[in-house]
Amino acid sequence: PMLVDGARAAVLAAQDMALGPSLDERPAPSNPKLFELIGFDFALDDEWRPWLLEVNRSPAMLDDCNLPNLLEWVEDATETMLATTLAYHQGQLAIPSIEQLQAIQCPAAFRAERLFPPHGNCCGNECFSKAVTSVPPCLVNGLSLGAPCGKWLLALYKPWEDEWTRKQRSMRIRDKWQSIVRAGWGRTASW
């Protein structure tokens, strides 16, 4: 669960960069017809706690690997992920509502060691720890949605925002990006 929490936080933090607030005064579309393949590189410390090293927008997918079993696994995982994405966009994959997810019993989730403190805000307003730790219990370890998902598990559910909220968030991020550009790329802007 700690690795999944790290991936959840990274996805939430990068959601505006993936969909991008538009720089021409319009927010990103509410239901884009795209998906993003990203890779997460983690390191484990001597207490087995994960540390996110980087997020790759174009992962190599083991292109320099010569282990047939591993390459077969990557190919199968990629094909299944593409089939899952297509099924979703064609309306053939139903994602449970937040209410349905909350109703699924998952006692093991309460025993799982999490990356962030429970329901905490460990590092201020721009921290995603609260969103990560408040996922429905059935998503803590991932939830199988059956075919066509194969071994892929649902680990994050974020309902679409209403138009006004989405526009406000998009404009806030756009303004932040513009202030970074005006300040110069060589300096670090505080979030």
Side-chain angles (χ1 to χ4, degrees):
M2 289 192 291
L3 283 174
V4 178
D5 280 349
R8 283 184 191 105
V11 166
L12 289 168
Q15 67 185 337
D16 283 307
M17 291 164 80
L19 298 176
S22 178
L23 295 180
D24 62 358
E25 304 298 321
R26 292 183 310 217
S30 62
N31 191 7
K33 301 295 183 201
L34 58 92
F35 71 97
E36 183 104 21
L37 179 62
I38 52 179
F40 298 96
D41 293 345
F42 285 94
L44 299 174
D45 65 19
D46 52 356
E47 294 180 8
W48 292 93
R49 293 194 56 82
W51 293 88
L52 179 63
L53 301 175
E54 67 178 352
V55 178
N56 301 299
R57 289 187 74 181
S58 182
M61 306 281 292
L62 302 175
D63 59 351
D64 60 350
C65 177
N66 58 8
L67 300 173
N69 290 346
L70 191 54
L71 289 171
E72 184 180 326
W73 177 85
V74 168
E75 184 176 325
D76 181 55
T78 303
E79 292 295 324
T80 305
M81 186 232 2
L82 291 171
T84 300
T85 303
L86 288 172
Y88 174 76
H89 283 292
Q90 293 169 352
Q92 299 169 353
L93 175 64
I95 304 294
S97 69
I98 193 70
E99 293 81 14
Q100 291 168 322
L101 292 171
Q102 293 286 6
I104 296 173
Q105 298 297 313
C106 190
F110 299 104
R111 295 187 303 274
E113 186 177 358
R114 305 292 300 276
L115 187 59
F116 301 107
H119 305 293
N121 190 355
C122 64
C123 38
N125 291 338
E126 296 298 331
C127 182
F128 294 98
S129 63
K130 189 169 186 171
V132 168
T133 58
S134 64
V135 297
C138 66
L139 299 186
V140 169
N141 295 314
L143 176 68
S144 174
L145 296 178
C149 300
K151 294 180 182 177
W152 288 98
L153 302 174
L154 181 65
L156 180 66
Y157 181 90
K158 185 173 184 294
W160 289 108
E161 299 167 321
D162 64 79
E163 189 71 24
W164 185 87
T165 303
R166 189 172 43 79
K167 182 176 180 178
Q168 293 303 310
R169 183 177 49 77
S170 182
M171 295 301 195
R172 189 187 90 240
I173 297 296
R174 187 209 68 220
D175 292 346
K176 187 66 174 182
W177 284 3
Q178 287 178 342
S179 71
I180 291 170
V181 170
R182 282 192 294 272
W185 290 104
R187 294 182 293 251
T188 303
S190 68
W191 287 89

